[in-house]
Amino acid sequence: MERFVIRGGNKLHGEIKISGAKNAVLGIMPAAILADGPCRIENIPDISDVSAMIKILRHLGAEIKMINKSTLEIDTSHIRSNVVGHDLSKLMRASYYFIGVLLGRFNH
């Protein structure tokens, strides 16, 4: 059995930055489609799935502003399309999140 043995007498101190949860942000970003106005999402991890989600949202007509490297503002008030093409949806497995929000927004 493996184990860690820590010996010392010094107290630990300092700070660490906890990045946002990938699975949470991939559900939150498409949910902006259901909002009446712009949504600001903070503590977004810098991962390829987030970049793919941004591409899909922009393709649908959303305006996305990078406030800083971990904060986005998403305005979906100009979205008129309810179709995410295969070329974009294949970029990530979590593209199925768009099914519910587009159905909720366009009723079909």
Side-chain angles (χ1 to χ4, degrees):
M1 178 165 45
E2 293 184 34
R3 64 183 176 182
F4 291 102
V5 178
I6 301 172
R7 295 191 178 113
N10 301 322
K11 292 183 179 182
L12 298 176
H13 64 279
E15 295 180 16
I16 59 168
K17 181 174 168 54
I18 306 297
S19 67
K22 174 189 96 155
N23 292 334
V25 76
L26 294 181
I28 293 168
M29 288 176 69
I33 291 173
L34 298 173
D36 290 335
C39 295
R40 183 173 286 204
I41 307 169
E42 299 176 346
N43 202 18
I44 296 176
D46 184 17
I47 56 173
S48 61
D49 281 354
V50 169
S51 297
M53 189 74 69
I54 289 170
K55 285 180 187 177
I56 293 170
L57 285 165
R58 283 188 171 143
H59 171 77
L60 292 172
E63 295 177 18
I64 300 176
K65 295 178 190 170
M66 293 290 296
I67 305 302
N68 59 47
K69 75 177 206 172
S70 65
T71 304
L72 288 176
E73 188 171 279
I74 302 173
D75 182 359
T76 60
S77 60
H78 296 61
I79 287 183
R80 300 292 178 250
S81 175
N82 64 349
V83 177
V84 177
H86 178 67
D87 58 322
L88 290 172
S89 65
K90 72 179 181 182
L91 296 175
M92 57 185 293
R93 290 182 304 168
S95 61
Y96 60 85
Y97 281 116
F98 284 98
I99 295 169
V101 296
L102 290 171
L103 179 62
R105 173 129 179 202
F106 294 103
N107 297 317
H108 68 279

